[in-house]
């Protein structure tokens, strides 16, 4: 007999779910793994409606990025021991690095420096700013 999935918000259960996510499990797989857990649509609704869960989930995603770092180290060990080829290790590591950057961009994301020698780039000026500059220039002549 199929039991109905949980629909009433339960923060303590969300802590358990997010702990599994932090340990590098996929949220949808976690939710499907236990009949006590809500469905994915229910969890999403809870997350959108509850600031405490949003904060918890973001934190678990950031922790997940750190858990992925261990997976990279494990892959390097497999490469060093000859259990996997370098091309396979490269694909795995590049994929994991990409995931880390998505889960925790502040720590693991690619930071682009959009300056010139430490100075902000010049930005285009508007037509009104150009007209004002022309008028100022003409007044100074």
């Amino acid at each position: 007999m199929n039991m109905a999935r949980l629909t009433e918000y339960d923060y303590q259960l969300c802590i358990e779910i997010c702990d599994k996510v932090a340990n590098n499990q996929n949220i949808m797989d976690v939710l499907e793994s236990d009949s006590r857990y809500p469905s994915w649509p229910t969890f999403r609704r809870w997350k959108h409606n509850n600031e405490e869960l949003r904060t918890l989930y973001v934190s678990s995603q950031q922790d997940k990025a750190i858990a992925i770092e261990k997976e990279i180290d494990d892959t390097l060990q497999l490469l060093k021991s000859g259990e996997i080829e370098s091309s396979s290790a490269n694909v795995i590591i590049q994929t994991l690095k990409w995931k880390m950057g998505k889960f925790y961009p502040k720590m693991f994301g690619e930071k682009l420096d959009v300056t010139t020698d430490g100075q902000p780039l010049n930005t285009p000026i508007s037509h009104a700013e150009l007209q004002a500059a022309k008028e100022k220039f003409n007044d100074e002549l």
Side-chain angles (χ1 to χ4, degrees), residues 21-49:
V21 170
N23 285 310
N24 200 15
Q25 292 186 33
N26 177 282
I27 183 64
M28 295 173 88
D29 290 341
V30 170
L31 296 174
E32 292 171 0
S33 72
D34 192 322
S35 63
R36 297 177 304 128
Y37 297 160
S39 66
W40 172 236
T42 299
F43 185 82
R44 279 192 354 244
R45 181 173 40 82
W46 289 359
K47 186 167 53 87
H48 292 289
N49 294 335

Side-chain angles (χ1 to χ4, degrees), residues 4-10 13 35-39 42 46:
R5 299 292 294 253
L6 180 67
T7 57
E8 187 175 326
Y9 179 63
D10 181 342
L13 196 60
S35 63
R36 297 177 304 128
Y37 297 160
S39 66
T42 299
W46 289 359

Side-chain angles (χ1 to χ4, degrees), residues 2 4-5 15-16 29 37 42 51-52 55 77 79-80 85 94 113 123 132 138:
N2 247 353
R5 299 292 294 253
I15 291 172
E16 183 179 320
D29 290 341
Y37 297 160
T42 299
E51 180 65 32
E52 65 184 359
T55 301
Q77 289 306 313
L79 174 64
K80 288 177 182 178
E85 294 181 19
Q94 293 304 319
D113 183 7
T123 56
N138 288 332

Side-chain angles (χ1 to χ4, degrees), residues 123-137:
T123 56
I125 62 173
S126 68
H127 181 69
E129 291 171 318
L130 179 60
Q131 286 302 110
K134 282 182 180 178
E135 288 174 14
K136 182 179 178 186
F137 178 76

Side-chain angles (χ1 to χ4, degrees), residues 53-116:
L53 177 54
R54 269 194 307 279
T55 301
L56 178 67
Y57 185 70
V58 167
S59 180
S60 71
Q61 290 291 78
Q62 291 172 343
D63 291 344
K64 181 177 190 169
I66 295 166
I68 291 172
E69 188 176 21
K70 181 185 179 328
E71 197 171 339
I72 289 174
D73 291 341
D74 294 345
T75 302
L76 284 172
Q77 289 306 313
L78 292 172
L79 174 64
K80 288 177 182 178
S81 68
E83 295 178 54
I84 60 174
E85 294 181 19
S86 60
S87 59
S88 297
N90 185 48
V91 170
I92 293 167
I93 290 170
Q94 293 304 319
T95 302
L96 293 171
K97 282 174 46 180
W98 178 85
K99 288 175 77 173
M100 287 170 66
K102 296 300 177 191
F103 293 138
Y104 199 175
K106 281 186 177 181
M107 182 176 278
F108 298 110
E110 299 282 329
K111 184 174 188 240
L112 300 176
D113 183 7
V114 289
T115 63
T116 54

